[in-house]
Amino acid sequence: RNTRDAVRAHLRITRHVAGTAYPINETDEAAIAARAWDRNGGDAAAGSARQIQAIQHSGDRTAQLGWITAPTLVIHGARDLLVAASGGEATAKAIRGAKHVVVPGMGHHIPPALVDAITGHIATHIAGVNGGGNNVGN
């Protein structure tokens, strides 16, 4: 494989997981893919493979989520094809007091058109934290 093939593969996958409500910016995504190819020494799948291995080996982490004491905001795309919307909901339910936001039309990709809305959710969450700390209980 080469950079061009890696970019094509990245665009194909990203188009699929991003969904149709918010089409990707192909120029920006191609640049991201090319940088990833360079960073991974020509092995574009290396990072994804490591992430999948970590997920497979971690098992069910629901109990550990209950240890989190930091104010938590879970943001999830309603059209996420990789992690079902129920996964975001389950994560929020497992963390005491967590807030859950489902973004209509968003897939497993944050499109530029939603950056302001998502940062708005984050800013509102931060503003609403009263003396909250960033502690994770053990």
Side-chain angles (χ1 to χ4, degrees):
R1 284 184 58 163
N2 57 40
T3 305
R4 190 168 116 176
D5 291 342
V7 167
R8 283 184 182 156
H10 173 84
L11 290 173
R12 183 178 35 46
I13 290 167
T14 304
R15 270 188 224 104
H16 180 68
V17 300
T20 56
Y22 296 96
I24 65 170
N25 178 313
E26 301 228 355
T27 302
D28 290 348
E29 289 298 327
I32 289 167
R35 284 193 307 273
W37 175 267
D38 292 342
R39 183 178 57 249
N40 289 313
D43 187 358
S48 296
R50 286 190 297 272
Q51 182 178 13
I52 290 168
Q53 287 175 341
I55 291 167
Q56 290 172 336
H57 287 91
S58 67
D60 185 350
R61 296 166 293 186
T62 304
Q64 289 93 337
L65 292 173
W67 300 346
I68 297 173
T69 59
T72 303
L73 173 64
V74 177
I75 300 174
H76 201 101
R79 309 278 297 170
D80 191 328
L81 300 178
L82 297 182
V83 179
S86 61
E89 183 178 355
T91 297
K93 284 182 179 177
I95 302 169
R96 191 174 318 119
K99 293 182 178 109
H100 183 219
V101 173
V102 177
V103 181
M106 187 173 94
H108 197 82
H109 183 267
I110 300 174
L114 288 177
V115 169
D116 288 344
I118 290 171
T119 55
H121 287 299
I122 294 168
T124 299
H125 178 71
I126 292 168
V129 174
N130 294 321
N134 289 316
N135 301 315
V136 176
N138 291 319

